[in-house]
Amino acid sequence: GKVRLARNLDTGEVVAVKKIVGERGIGICKEETKTQAELARSSEHVLDIHGSLETKNSKGVETEYIFMDLAKGCDGFDLIRNLLPSASSRFTSTFSKEAKETLHAFQRAMIDAVLDAHEHGVAHCDLKPENTIVTKKGELFLIDFGFSMKKDESSTIRQGTRTYAAPEIASGHPYSPEKADLYALGVSLVDAELGNANPFKQRHYDS
């Protein structure tokens, strides 16, 4: 869904608003919101949910608005891209010392965020740099829990982003969401180390 900013007229607080249109999307979003809200109570790496609002227009189209904490920053992909000295330089040997420190801080924070989610029983199931928000203070938040599952579940669902997906997801056999997360985390760390040069960008689910 699309994300916009909104201001609470009573408190003046600015929050992020995620807009979801359509019954199917709203159904998925409700589960995502529930998972995120529960995880936010115990994890410093997840944005808190303030509430939601459902509307229906004259044609019967349903829309849901999810209000959550606003994290000012950029996603992990843009963070890495902005650290590159030039578009043609795509390996950490070309990063400045300061850029390397920022990059490695991002990698450590992403590891901490994923392990923290797992400690609280949740597998994200679509890990990649784009599904993180990094603030100017260096805080990292996981976002987009639409595919998340309990970490101890067994699944055969082909989901997530194929270039970060573990081979067992493509096989159609039962897999561990927790272990698939760790695979995607590893690819994300390599991706960052190479300057957004994902080594598996040509992989397909049917290969």
Side-chain angles (χ1 to χ4, degrees):
K2 295 181 179 180
V3 178
R4 297 288 187 267
L5 301 183
R7 184 184 300 275
N8 185 317
L9 297 179
D10 293 327
T11 66
E13 181 182 11
V14 178
V15 298
V17 184
K18 187 172 185 177
K19 178 182 178 182
I20 307 295
V21 179
E23 185 177 348
R24 182 175 180 275
I26 290 174
I28 294 172
C29 190
K30 284 185 181 297
E31 289 300 314
E32 176 184 0
T33 302
K34 180 181 177 182
T35 298
Q36 183 173 333
E38 291 176 351
L39 194 54
R41 296 191 190 105
S42 52
S43 174
E44 63 182 11
H45 296 290
V46 179
L47 298 170
D48 197 14
I49 301 291
H50 292 246
S52 63
L53 173 68
E54 288 189 42
T55 65
K56 182 183 291 188
N57 66 17
S58 59
K59 296 181 179 179
V61 177
E62 296 180 358
T63 301
E64 181 158 4
Y65 300 89
I66 310 296
F67 303 91
M68 67 187 78
D69 281 345
L70 173 64
K72 294 182 179 180
C74 64
D75 68 44
F77 182 90
D78 285 341
L79 174 76
I80 298 164
R81 182 179 60 184
N82 293 338
L83 291 174
L84 289 168
S86 70
S88 61
S89 300
R90 306 192 68 80
F91 299 95
T92 50
S93 60
T94 67
F95 284 80
S96 68
K97 181 180 179 180
E98 182 179 356
K100 284 184 181 180
E101 290 175 353
T102 301
L103 176 69
H104 294 157
F106 163 76
Q107 292 171 312
R108 289 191 297 269
M110 190 170 183
I111 292 170
D112 288 344
V114 173
L115 296 183
D116 191 33
H118 287 181
E119 185 177 333
H120 293 94
V122 176
H124 186 279
C125 300
D126 192 19
L127 290 172
K128 54 186 176 181
E130 293 96 319
N131 278 344
T132 66
I133 293 291
V134 185
T135 70
K136 293 180 179 180
K137 295 180 179 179
E139 302 165 306
L140 183 141
F141 298 96
L142 294 178
I143 59 173
D144 288 345
F145 285 85
F147 293 134
S148 63
M149 291 186 282
K150 293 179 180 179
K151 71 168 187 176
D152 296 325
E153 286 186 67
S154 178
S155 178
T156 58
I157 300 173
R158 293 184 178 185
Q159 62 181 10
T161 303
R162 66 188 183 193
T163 50
Y164 295 88
E168 56 266 35
I169 294 178
S171 73
H173 298 301
Y175 64 88
S176 161
E178 180 182 18
K179 292 180 179 178
D181 257 9
L182 295 177
Y183 180 92
L185 174 61
V187 176
S188 296
L189 299 179
V190 172
D191 194 0
E193 195 73 14
L194 298 180
N196 285 335
N198 187 315
F200 305 113
K201 63 181 179 180
Q202 298 301 325
R203 277 189 46 232
H204 294 265
Y205 277 140
D206 57 359
S207 62

